[in-house]
Amino acid sequence: MGALVITAGVRSGRFGDRHLTVRSQRPLLIGVVVGLVVAALAVLVVFGAPMVMVACVAVMLATLAVVGPITLWWKVSFHTAVSAGSVVMLAEVLPPVWVYAVGAVVVAAIGWSRVALADHTAGQVVAGGAAGAGASWVTLAVLL
């Protein structure tokens, strides 16, 4: 969903590029994505979705709450935040040893690609991964 919002923002001129290199443009994107996640969470709760689904969307909101403010002054990697958070979520419903083993490789590959593409520094990638995994772990510990 975020990619669609970014593409629409670039086409309309609200965003200068798909990387949102202009920091002043980031709050708009974060606000739109937060609104979409809150709407999805409300739909799940209203229609009685299983708690694990509600928790997964709550993890998205928690990750945005942690990474969003940071990226206003430092371009932390949302890609590694989301991938690391997804690994933690999957470990709740699948055998955790395998999820963490495979997930670590996937998150590392995503992080490496972000640095190789010169979109982030190694520190921004590590910070994103830690923030995403941490937000997921805390949210799931509270909700499940």
Side-chain angles (χ1 to χ4, degrees), residues 54-80:
V54 173
C56 285
V57 177
V59 162
M60 291 179 204
L61 194 57
T63 302
L64 283 165
V66 172
V67 179
I70 296 170
T71 201
L72 297 178
W73 58 271
W74 191 47
K75 193 180 174 195
V76 68
S77 174
F78 271 92
H79 286 85
T80 55

Side-chain angles (χ1 to χ4, degrees), residues 9-11 18 24 43 55-56 70 73 75 82 85 92-93 97 115:
V10 170
R11 287 186 180 161
R18 67 183 180 89
S24 62
V43 167
C56 285
I70 296 170
W73 58 271
K75 193 180 174 195
V82 170
E92 281 290 319
V93 295
V97 171
V115 174

Side-chain angles (χ1 to χ4, degrees), residues 1-143:
M1 184 55 76
L4 292 174
V5 173
I6 292 170
T7 300
V10 170
R11 287 186 180 161
S12 70
R14 286 188 172 89
F15 303 142
D17 60 40
R18 67 183 180 89
H19 300 287
L20 277 83
T21 52
V22 178
R23 287 185 186 152
S24 62
Q25 296 172 347
R26 295 178 192 163
L28 175 61
L29 174 64
I30 293 167
V32 168
V33 174
V34 166
L36 292 169
V37 173
V38 167
L41 191 57
V43 167
L44 290 174
V45 170
V46 166
F47 288 102
M51 190 58 186
V52 70
M53 290 179 69
V54 173
C56 285
V57 177
V59 162
M60 291 179 204
L61 194 57
T63 302
L64 283 165
V66 172
V67 179
I70 296 170
T71 201
L72 297 178
W73 58 271
W74 191 47
K75 193 180 174 195
V76 68
S77 174
F78 271 92
H79 286 85
T80 55
V82 170
S83 60
S86 297
V87 169
V88 173
M89 284 190 296
L90 282 172
E92 281 290 319
V93 295
L94 297 173
V97 171
W98 288 105
V99 170
Y100 284 123
V102 173
V105 172
V106 172
V107 173
I110 290 169
W112 170 83
S113 74
R114 305 308 295 158
V115 174
L117 291 169
D119 285 334
H120 293 285
T121 65
Q124 291 167 333
V125 163
V126 170
S136 293
W137 186 82
V138 169
T139 303
L140 293 173
V142 169
L143 294 178

